[in-house]
């Protein structure tokens, strides 16, 4: 259906470029068209982009020491809190050292207390009491050192997030740096994308972003720009942007490809017409407007 702006009963003449035939101009044929009125409106300025979902926090949990896995305290895909115990290695040998260090500390503490009391009463030399206080401090340091070693047998979540699939079993011997499980924070989730440098002056932190995933085509995820990278890629002439989207249900996963609508601002008093009224030929867009009862093509 021909689209034009004006009143009903417009006579369509195309673009008026047809040559007249030798026998005279062809008779004009009136065509009834649907019309709409152009309006002045505030229109959001948007650009489209493609982005990758990225966990706002991400780490692969690994042991600091070698040891045999004593217990696994998580299930793949489970959400855990910061500090949650994930895996425990067998600490039998170090626990024996810890008990010995504690016994030595208690013995030195008792001797130090007696020597200090005797020195205070004038019944014993102060040098002995001072020597025992130094030994007590050394024994306490030894206990603290073994306690820190015992912590190395516990692998805990450094932050709240969702665990991936485990790659070890109970009884396995693991080495420092060996991957045990991944931990990602996916609520909120970050999205990184690139836009041409000509839009750099329009990009602002907290500008609205809407994302759509092919896995959920009927659902839009609303968020905002968090950071605009302060440099432009000299080869591609693009600037990288990071947005953040609430993701309470965990539907968006790290690595997911997303289609984005980025709001750059608002165009005030823009002339608007229905989208179906706009025609495209090659790279040229135009509409038909009513000009004294005739349809006139107008580039837009």
């Amino acid at each position: 259906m021909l689209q034009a702006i004006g009143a009903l009963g417009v006579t369509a003449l195309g673009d008026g470029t047809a040559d007249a035939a030798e026998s005279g101009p062809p008779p004009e044929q009136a065509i009834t068209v649907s019309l709409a009125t152009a309006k002045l409106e505030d229109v959001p300025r948007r650009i489209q982009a493609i982005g990758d979902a990225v966990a706002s926090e991400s780490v692969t949990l690994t042991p600091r020491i070698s040891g045999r896995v004593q217990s696994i305290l998580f299930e793949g895909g489970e959400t855990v809190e910061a500090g949650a115990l994930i895996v425990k290695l067998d600490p039998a040998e170090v626990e024996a050292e810890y008990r010995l260090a504690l016994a030595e500390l208690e013995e030195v503490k008792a001797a130090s207390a007696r020597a200090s009391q005797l020195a205070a009463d004038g019944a014993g030399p102060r040098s002995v009491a001072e020597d025992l206080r130094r030994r007590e401090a050394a024994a306490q340091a030894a206990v603290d050192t073994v306690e820190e070693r015992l912590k190395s047998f516990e692998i805990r979540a450094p932050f709240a997030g969702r665990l991936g699939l485990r790659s070890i079993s109970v009884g396995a011997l693991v080495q420092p740096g060996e991957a045990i499980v991944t931990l990602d924070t996916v609520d909120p989730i970050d999205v990184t994308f690139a836009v041409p440098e000509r839009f750099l002056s329009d990009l602002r932190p907290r500008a609205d972003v809407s994302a759509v995933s092919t896995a959920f085509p009927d659902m839009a995820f609303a968020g905002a720009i968090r950071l605009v990278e302060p440099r432009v890629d000299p080869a591609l002439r693009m600037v990288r942007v990071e947005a953040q989207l609430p993701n309470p249900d965990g539907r968006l996963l790290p690595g997911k490809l997303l289609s984005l609508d980025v709001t750059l601002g608002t165009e005030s008093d823009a002339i608007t017409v229905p989208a179906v009224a706009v025609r495209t030929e090659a790279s040229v867009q135009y509409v038909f407007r009513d000009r004294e009862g005739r349809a006139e093509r107008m580039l837009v």
Side-chain angles (χ1 to χ4, degrees):
M1 185 188 312
L2 178 64
Q3 303 293 323
I5 301 173
L8 295 177
V10 175
T11 302
L13 298 180
D15 56 7
T17 58
D19 294 332
E22 292 182 359
S23 59
E28 297 177 352
Q29 183 178 1
I31 302 175
T32 300
V33 297
S34 296
L35 305 177
T37 302
K39 300 178 181 179
L40 289 177
E41 296 180 328
D42 293 340
V43 179
R45 295 174 53 241
R46 295 189 177 95
I47 58 172
Q48 284 72 48
I50 299 296
D52 296 311
V54 181
S56 55
E57 299 286 352
S58 182
V59 69
T60 298
L61 299 181
T62 63
R64 291 187 291 169
I65 60 172
S66 60
R68 198 167 298 278
V69 177
Q70 183 182 76
S71 54
I72 298 174
L73 306 171
F74 74 94
E75 296 292 337
E78 180 182 358
T79 299
V80 296
E81 297 297 326
L85 182 59
I86 305 299
V87 172
K88 187 173 183 180
L89 306 181
D90 185 2
E93 293 183 6
V94 179
E95 282 181 341
E97 293 180 26
Y98 184 60
R99 289 192 294 270
L100 179 60
L102 279 178
E104 291 180 354
L105 176 61
E106 292 301 320
E107 181 179 349
V108 173
K109 272 186 175 182
S112 177
R114 287 194 301 270
S116 295
Q117 186 61 48
L118 289 173
D121 295 339
R126 293 185 178 276
S127 60
V128 173
E130 292 174 356
D131 180 62
L132 285 171
R133 280 196 294 269
R134 287 192 293 268
R135 288 176 58 190
E136 180 183 349
Q140 182 64 61
V143 169
D144 294 342
T145 299
V146 179
E147 284 180 345
E148 286 300 316
R149 289 180 60 194
L150 282 174
K151 291 179 182 179
S152 299
F153 288 83
E154 297 180 345
I155 301 172
R156 296 181 178 271
F159 50 81
R162 180 184 293 177
L163 295 167
L165 300 177
R166 68 175 184 173
S167 56
I168 58 169
S169 299
V170 172
L173 181 64
V174 294
Q175 302 296 331
E178 182 177 343
I180 290 178
V181 66
T182 58
L183 176 65
D184 297 314
T185 297
V186 296
D187 182 29
I189 196 164
D190 293 341
V191 181
T192 60
F193 57 98
V195 299
E197 65 174 335
R198 67 178 181 273
F199 297 115
L200 183 58
S201 61
D202 296 318
L203 292 170
R204 295 287 185 273
R206 296 184 296 279
D208 292 339
V209 174
S210 178
V212 176
S213 165
T214 53
F216 309 100
D218 298 327
M219 180 179 296
F221 298 86
I225 291 178
R226 194 179 76 85
L227 175 68
V228 178
E229 191 171 41
R231 62 173 59 186
V232 176
D233 186 320
L236 301 177
R237 313 313 305 179
M238 304 283 278
V239 60
R240 292 186 60 80
V241 182
E242 183 179 278
Q244 200 166 69
L245 309 175
N247 189 34
D249 298 330
R251 294 174 184 266
L252 299 178
L253 300 179
K256 192 74 183 72
L257 190 68
L258 301 173
S259 298
L260 306 172
D261 271 338
V262 183
T263 300
L264 299 181
T266 302
E267 187 74 29
S268 300
D269 294 334
I271 300 175
T272 63
V273 297
V276 294
V278 180
R279 303 298 182 89
T280 302
E281 289 181 3
S283 60
V284 176
Q285 293 181 320
Y286 62 91
V287 296
F288 285 99
R289 68 175 178 178
D290 175 20
R291 190 172 183 83
E292 299 179 354
R294 295 174 179 272
E296 179 182 71
R297 193 166 82 159
M298 177 180 179
L299 297 180
V300 296

